[in-house]
Amino acid sequence: MTHRAPTDMLADEKRTLGNEYGTAFCHCKQELWRIAESWDRYEALFCTTERVEILNASGGHFWGSVQSILFDHVLLGICRLTDKHDMRSGKNVSVEMLGKLDTKQHNKRLHQRISQAKKKCSFARSWRDKRIAHNDYLQMVGPVNLLGKATRRRVTSAIVSIHEVLRWVQQKHFDGDMMLYEMGDSSTLSVLS
């Protein structure tokens, strides 16, 4: 696989999809790759008890902060990609925007994928709205946790559901596939050596 500059990708996508749709699609892909890369780093560091023990021995408080930052970053990215297109403050680049911009007759399947992604990503909104972006009073002092269950499996499923939306656009408009590669971030794993 050859790597292309983001400006080259944007130019190709605008040429095929038009200015607004191509720009939105390109930026959604870039955001997905950023959060997938962060999630890969999260899993590389924190997915096994042995790795967590190594990190705790070398500075548990620091690594706990890194874990929290990566997790919050991924949940925020999931929310950004599945936010409503139209907001009071303006327009958001999200998978919903792609559905509004796609005028092909076959876009019913795109809308189904968008709906599925929004459903699979809904747990992340409670984290953003009640803990990451705001200090929700009831979440902080109430007797009940108001956050959606955010397991590694659910986060991975959310990322894959967003990928399926973008992959559909790639397949229908570019006659190609869009893979979501596992990065296997060796630089992250080298920290554990």
Side-chain angles (χ1 to χ4, degrees):
M1 178 180 185
T2 60
H3 294 282
R4 296 176 16 202
T7 53
D8 294 339
M9 288 191 310
L10 176 60
D12 289 346
E13 285 151 3
K14 286 166 78 172
R15 193 171 22 261
T16 300
L17 297 173
N19 188 49
E20 191 175 19
Y21 192 6
T23 300
F25 179 61
C26 185
H27 289 295
C28 282
K29 284 195 316 186
Q30 295 296 320
E31 179 70 9
L32 175 65
W33 290 332
R34 272 191 295 276
I35 65 170
E37 182 179 45
S38 292
W39 188 242
D40 187 57
R41 288 181 177 142
Y42 179 95
E43 288 196 312
L45 290 169
F46 306 109
C47 72
T48 68
T49 303
E50 296 81 19
R51 289 181 185 168
V52 171
E53 287 173 358
I54 291 169
L55 296 174
N56 283 339
S58 69
H61 183 71
F62 171 79
W63 290 109
S65 295
V66 170
Q67 182 179 17
S68 181
I69 290 166
L70 282 172
F71 192 77
D72 290 354
H73 170 73
V74 170
L75 293 185
L76 285 171
I78 287 169
C79 289
R80 280 193 300 268
L81 281 168
T82 56
D83 273 339
K84 292 181 180 178
H85 166 56
D86 293 313
M87 302 285 280
R88 282 184 290 176
S89 60
K91 293 182 180 181
N92 291 321
V93 175
S94 66
V95 294
E96 186 177 283
M97 182 182 206
L98 302 180
K100 293 194 181 301
L101 294 172
D102 195 300
T103 58
K104 297 280 185 182
Q105 288 181 321
H106 54 254
N107 76 2
K108 180 178 181 182
R109 294 207 177 164
L110 173 61
H111 287 279
Q112 290 170 339
R113 283 170 174 75
I114 292 168
S115 177
Q116 185 68 19
K118 291 179 83 142
K119 182 179 177 183
K120 286 192 175 208
C121 297
S122 63
F123 73 92
R125 285 196 160 45
S126 64
W127 284 74
R128 178 187 64 185
D129 297 344
K130 296 188 177 300
R131 194 189 68 74
I132 300 170
H134 307 283
N135 288 325
D136 184 81
Y137 180 78
L138 290 177
Q139 174 60 32
M140 291 179 78
V141 303
V144 177
N145 182 0
L146 302 174
L147 303 177
K149 190 174 182 180
T151 63
R152 283 184 27 230
R153 178 176 281 163
R154 287 187 88 180
V155 173
T156 299
S157 179
I159 291 169
V160 168
S161 71
I162 295 167
H163 170 256
E164 286 303 310
V165 173
L166 301 176
R167 184 176 181 217
W168 184 92
V169 173
Q170 184 76 30
Q171 289 173 332
K172 291 298 179 188
H173 295 284
F174 295 92
D175 295 324
D177 206 347
M178 184 182 125
M179 305 307 289
L180 187 60
Y181 297 104
E182 288 187 55
M183 309 276 178
D185 192 347
S186 59
S187 62
T188 301
L189 293 176
S190 70
V191 169
L192 301 172
S193 302

